[in-house]
Amino acid sequence: MSTLKITDLHVSVNTETGPKPILNGINLEINSNETHAIMGPNGSGKSTLAYSLAGHPKYQVTSGSVTLDGVDVLAMSVDERAKAGLFLAMQYPVEVPGVTVTNFLRSAKTAIDGEAPKLRNWTKDLKSAMENLRVDPEFASRNVNEGFSGGEKKRHEILQMEMLKPKFSVLDETDSGLDVDALRIVSEGINRVRESTDVGVLLITHYTRILSYIKPDHVHVIIKGKVAEEGGPELADRLENEGYDRFLQASV
């Protein structure tokens, strides 16, 4: 079993007027085979948490720690974090002109594992994953995210997750911009990875609709950069009925 532990994490972002604190002491512990839903209103710090874990240079960790199986994640470069088993599905995936989906995925897998996957097995697994995600076979020869629809970009993020098999997946609002059918297909892809591997999932979302497909073990509500409340799936149900007003009023 692996453990991703976040302890008293404080993060600031650089602005024109100087550093602005966003996270103000986040504490979380995620184990293998667990799914944690991170919920909260706009501007609460959810995406800042995701990008800080991935090592985005815009976000500066001012104090606190992040460890993966006891090893200091914050001391790692971005690629070292990926090799250690961290994966980020971005809210706004970027285009990579000139690099096909096939080449991107196989190069990433080779870099993470230290050796190239056997071509026959890799091709078979990629074809199966694409079929499950309802992805056109021509998708593999297209440049990464170039001209992709919003739904195609999100399916590609889950395709990466399925092929790379990380220890921990941070899914930053993977449900945003998806119609009902795309949300179901993407959720089914996440569930397939959960069922076939020991992946721990940090699922960041505004809404509870994705949680009707992906049942979390734990729910954490972030308000103004701190965890305001924690619970099980029933907490998400309460948020669906009540929203975030009671947390926002209490924080004033």
Side-chain angles (χ1 to χ4, degrees):
M1 183 182 76
S2 291
T3 300
L4 180 65
K5 188 173 184 180
I6 303 166
T7 305
D8 195 28
L9 188 66
H10 289 71
V11 176
S12 294
V13 61
N14 291 323
T15 68
E16 293 180 356
T17 57
K20 178 183 178 181
I22 303 294
L23 299 185
N24 301 299
I26 295 290
N27 292 284
L28 291 170
E29 186 170 317
I30 306 113
N31 297 310
S32 300
N33 295 310
E34 291 181 351
T35 297
H36 292 242
I38 305 295
M39 305 190 69
N42 281 328
S44 58
K46 304 185 303 299
S47 291
T48 295
L49 175 61
Y51 287 115
S52 298
L53 293 175
H56 195 298
K58 178 181 176 181
Y59 301 92
Q60 302 299 316
V61 175
T62 55
S63 65
S65 65
V66 179
T67 60
L68 201 169
D69 295 335
V71 180
D72 184 4
V73 170
L74 301 180
M76 300 178 186
S77 61
V78 174
D79 63 307
E80 288 172 338
R81 297 182 196 204
K83 291 176 182 177
L86 278 179
F87 172 80
L88 171 65
M90 295 183 286
Q91 182 179 358
Y92 303 109
V94 298
E95 294 183 2
V96 187
V99 180
T100 65
V101 168
T102 297
N103 288 338
F104 172 78
L105 288 171
R106 195 158 191 265
S107 295
K109 183 65 172 175
T110 300
I112 288 171
D113 291 354
E115 61 180 3
K118 293 182 178 180
L119 190 57
R120 180 179 297 177
N121 293 338
W122 173 261
T123 302
K124 179 183 177 182
D125 292 344
L126 179 59
K127 180 181 179 182
S128 176
M130 290 176 64
E131 288 176 350
N132 288 331
L133 286 166
R134 314 291 199 277
V135 172
D136 190 293
E138 293 184 359
F139 186 89
S141 60
R142 293 170 63 184
N143 292 337
V144 173
N145 292 324
E146 194 171 45
F148 288 14
S149 67
E152 285 176 329
K153 289 180 178 179
K154 296 303 177 73
R155 294 185 200 195
H156 181 229
E157 295 290 288
I158 304 310
L159 179 62
Q160 292 175 49
M161 177 181 169
E162 192 159 356
M163 297 304 295
L164 300 179
K165 296 179 173 54
K167 290 182 180 178
F168 293 96
S169 290
V170 181
L171 309 180
D172 186 19
E173 299 194 31
T174 299
D175 54 338
S176 66
L178 297 181
D179 61 29
V180 174
D181 290 331
L183 176 63
R184 176 179 53 78
I185 292 168
V186 164
S187 298
E188 288 173 352
I190 294 169
N191 284 330
R192 276 194 302 276
V193 181
R194 293 170 69 209
E195 292 164 3
S196 62
T197 70
D198 294 330
V199 66
V201 175
L202 199 62
L203 179 63
I204 296 170
T205 183
H206 286 295
Y207 308 108
T208 58
R209 62 176 190 156
I210 193 172
L211 302 184
S212 64
Y213 297 101
I214 302 171
K215 185 177 180 180
D217 300 295
H218 306 276
V219 176
H220 312 268
V221 180
I222 293 182
I223 303 292
K224 294 186 176 180
K226 299 192 72 171
V227 176
E229 188 168 337
E230 298 175 297
E234 72 283 349
L235 178 54
D237 295 334
R238 186 177 179 186
L239 290 172
E240 176 71 17
N241 295 324
E242 300 178 4
Y244 299 106
D245 279 351
R246 65 187 177 94
F247 298 107
L248 295 171
Q249 291 172 3
S251 67
V252 174

